[in-house]
Amino acid sequence: MKIIKTKDYNEMSLKAASMIAAQVILKPNCVLGLATGSTPLGTYEKLVEWCNNGHVDFSDVVTFNLDEYLGLDPSHDQSYRYYMNNNLFNKINIKIENTHVPSGVTTNIEEECANYDKMISDYGGIDLQLLGIGHDGHIGFNEPSDHFEKGTHCVTLTEETIKANSRFFESIDLVPKKAITMGMLSIMQAKKIVLVASGDDKKEILKKALFGPITPKVPASILQLHPDCTVITPISL
Ligand code: F6R
C-alpha cells in the first residue's frame, strides 16, 4: 500500500484527480469505480475542469458507483445518482448510459444486486476504484460486520453512518436506514484503488484501517491486501 501525504484537501484532490485522469488518458475506454460523499467533491471538480479545457476525454469511459440509498429515487437530491449527475456526469462529456449507480427504488433487490455484479464483470472489472472511508471504517456501504460480504448486497446502515450522513438531510429521521452497496469482491478485484480521506475526525479510523489487524470489523482494513492501493490524505498518521 502506498500512502501519499498531502499538504491539504486541495492537494489531495489534485493528486487523486491526476491518477484518475492518467487512467483515462492511458485507457480511454476504462471502467472507473466511483464514490460519493464530501471527500471526493474536490477530485470531481478538478476532473470537470480538465475535461472542459480538453485535457481529459470521458466519451468512452464507463463508470460504476459504489452505492445508493434504498428508497431514494434518482430525482431525490440526496440520492447518489443525483449527486453524481450534479457533481460530475452532467458536467463532463461522459455518455450517461455508460454510468451506473445501483437503483434505490428497485422492486427486486436480489436481482438488482446480481445484475450489478454481472455488468461489472461483463465489462472486465474495474480498472480504477475511487474510495472514501466512513468513521466506522466502511468502504462503499460495507459496514463493520463479522464477515466480508463479496457481492453487491443490501445493508442496514449503522447508527454512526446514519448520524454522519444526517448532515445532508433536513432531519436524521429522513436518512434512509438501508442501502445497496458493491461488495468487497468487485472492490478488491479493481486493478487499482485510490482512497481519499481528509479531516482529523478520520485519523483514528484511518490508522486502524491502514496499520491495524485485517478484520471485517474495520472493513477498509482489507485494502492492506490489495496489490495496488494508494491512500491520498492530508492527515498525519
Ligand atoms: C459513498 C461511499 C462512502 C463514503 C464515506 C465517507 O459512496 O462510498 O463509503 O466514502 O461514507 O463519506 P464522506 O466523504 O462524506 O466523509
Side-chain angles (χ1 to χ4, degrees):
M1 184 179 282
K2 189 169 160 195
I3 301 173
I4 301 179
K5 162 87 169 69
T6 60
K7 165 167 109 253
D8 54 20
Y9 175 85
N10 198 41
E11 194 184 46
M12 175 196 80
S13 303
L14 192 69
K15 287 206 186 300
S18 304
M19 288 187 72
I20 296 171
Q23 172 68 74
V24 174
I25 290 165
L26 285 172
K27 186 179 176 191
N29 63 345
C30 66
V31 179
L32 298 178
L34 298 176
T36 60
S38 310
T39 319
L41 283 172
T43 304
Y44 294 150
E45 257 176 46
K46 301 280 174 214
L47 292 175
V48 168
E49 189 187 313
W50 297 339
C51 179
N52 290 327
N53 66 19
H55 292 325
V56 195
D57 176 7
F58 287 88
S59 58
D60 287 327
V61 170
V62 172
T63 65
F64 285 92
N65 262 79
L66 284 164
D67 41 19
E68 179 60 284
Y69 286 119
L70 212 59
L72 297 196
D73 187 81
S75 64
H76 190 291
D77 64 1
Q78 290 310 326
S79 75
Y80 286 166
R81 164 53 81 178
Y82 187 95
Y83 167 110
M84 288 309 302
N85 286 353
N86 242 20
N87 292 303
L88 188 65
F89 300 151
N90 290 346
K91 297 180 170 175
I92 59 175
N93 67 337
I94 199 163
K95 296 184 185 81
I96 203 74
E97 63 272 22
N98 285 351
T99 70
H100 306 88
V101 180
S103 167
V105 289
T106 176
T107 50
N108 188 336
I109 296 175
E110 244 171 65
E111 194 179 81
E112 173 70 21
C113 293
N115 280 345
Y116 207 68
D117 287 337
K118 183 170 183 317
M119 275 193 294
I120 295 173
S121 111
D122 286 351
Y123 273 107
I126 292 164
D127 289 299
L128 184 154
Q129 175 67 55
L130 179 66
L131 293 176
I133 182 170
H135 293 100
D136 58 5
H138 70 229
I139 47 176
F141 271 139
N142 290 278
E143 296 282 33
S145 162
D146 54 9
H147 65 287
F148 290 113
E149 192 86 40
K150 282 196 204 156
T152 297
H153 60 286
C154 177
V155 279
T156 301
L157 303 177
T158 61
E159 282 305 314
E160 197 168 358
T161 299
I162 291 173
K163 211 162 126 195
N165 290 3
S166 66
R167 69 191 193 278
F168 301 115
F169 291 80
E170 270 175 38
S171 99
I172 193 161
D173 302 330
L174 296 177
V175 184
K177 309 285 178 283
K178 289 182 179 227
I180 291 183
T181 182
M182 207 188 267
M184 290 302 192
L185 197 63
S186 304
I187 296 175
M188 286 301 283
Q189 282 180 340
K191 294 178 188 76
K192 195 181 271 298
I193 294 181
V194 176
L195 184 142
V196 283
S198 83
D200 271 347
D201 53 324
K202 296 272 176 79
K203 186 171 177 152
E204 281 321 303
I205 194 62
L206 198 58
K207 274 188 177 168
K208 272 193 199 166
L210 303 187
F211 311 122
I214 297 165
T215 162
K217 305 260 180 253
V218 182
S221 63
I222 199 172
L223 299 174
Q224 293 178 38
L225 299 174
H226 194 278
D228 188 353
C229 176
T230 303
V231 177
I232 310 178
T233 182
I235 302 170
S236 303
L237 296 166

